[in-house]
Amino acid sequence: PGLAIKDGTIPRAGWYGDRNNFAPRFGFAYDLTGDGRTVIRGGGGVFYMSLYGGSSWRNAYRAFPFIRNNTVNASTDPRNPNISLDNPFPEEEFKLGISTDSAHLHMRTGYMTQQNLTVSRQLDATTVVEVTYAGTKGNKLQRSSRDINAARLGPGSIKSRRPYTNFGTIGILEDSASSTYHSMQMRFDRRLSRGISLLGAYTYSKSIDWSPI
């Protein structure tokens, strides 16, 4: 799994590069009434996020065999101890249940699509109101919460039901997360005398995500 085997087929970066990322942007503004008092503005674009963040490097450099974690439960029976001062790291206890991290070999670069549409109206010489829709959609976002070595349902010990029996938990960094955000934003702006202004804003939004980006 991931970086667990270095056999020449795995690239030095830990996963294959994603070389087809295309990030277009678009924007416009239109004077609806021709007098500059009612304007429609909008835009959108695709924005990529670097893979080389904290979780990415953590899952790469903590992959077996660079780092291995073992958990050993000491026996509560003083007549039959499994750990002693003479042998605090017994081989038979530490050769099982190795926990580690990994990264998906074909992980892609996560990206966000962002879009907005605004209608602005000048009510008088000092007052402007705006209503905006703004939304984002996250695709192929990173997450590392899945254990690819979880024991399958069935009879037998937990170890015997794991895909990789000599390992315990194997967390994997993968691009399986997504996010969705929609919002309505309203703004009221009024310029008063002597440099004083009044600004009011309200946002109603909804967010659903596997990864909060």
Side-chain angles (χ1 to χ4, degrees), residues 27-183:
F28 73 93
Y30 178 68
D31 184 356
L32 188 63
T33 57
D35 58 2
R37 297 176 62 89
T38 304
V39 179
I40 300 177
R41 299 180 180 90
V46 178
F47 302 84
Y48 285 86
M49 289 159 289
S50 172
L51 285 172
Y52 303 103
S55 61
S56 303
W57 283 115
R58 183 191 67 220
N59 280 67
Y61 70 67
R62 288 178 58 186
F64 182 85
F66 305 115
I67 291 181
R68 51 177 282 181
N69 301 317
N70 288 78
T71 300
V72 175
N73 297 317
S75 173
T76 58
D77 185 357
R79 298 167 298 179
N80 187 28
N82 60 341
I83 298 176
S84 65
L85 292 177
D86 295 331
N87 188 15
F89 305 104
E91 181 181 355
E92 61 273 11
E93 296 291 342
F94 280 84
K95 68 181 180 181
L96 301 175
I98 302 171
S99 297
T100 187
D101 291 310
S102 63
H104 197 285
L105 191 60
H106 297 280
M107 185 164 53
R108 305 293 86 183
T109 305
Y111 65 94
M112 302 286 293
T113 58
Q114 301 181 5
Q115 56 277 337
N116 64 82
L117 180 67
T118 300
V119 178
S120 300
R121 174 65 180 176
Q122 181 180 351
L123 301 181
D124 55 41
T126 60
T127 306
V128 175
V129 294
E130 288 185 352
V131 178
T132 300
Y133 162 77
T136 63
K137 177 68 172 66
N139 305 275
K140 301 180 181 180
L141 304 181
Q142 301 173 39
R143 65 170 176 170
S144 55
S145 59
R146 188 166 67 93
D147 177 13
I148 62 174
N149 202 34
R152 299 184 176 94
L153 295 176
S157 64
I158 293 178
K159 178 179 180 298
S160 66
R161 291 184 282 114
R162 292 186 182 275
Y164 306 96
T165 56
N166 288 332
F167 288 83
T169 300
I170 303 178
I172 186 169
L173 178 69
E174 56 187 355
D175 57 3
S176 59
S178 61
S179 67
T180 304
Y181 175 80
H182 300 285
S183 69

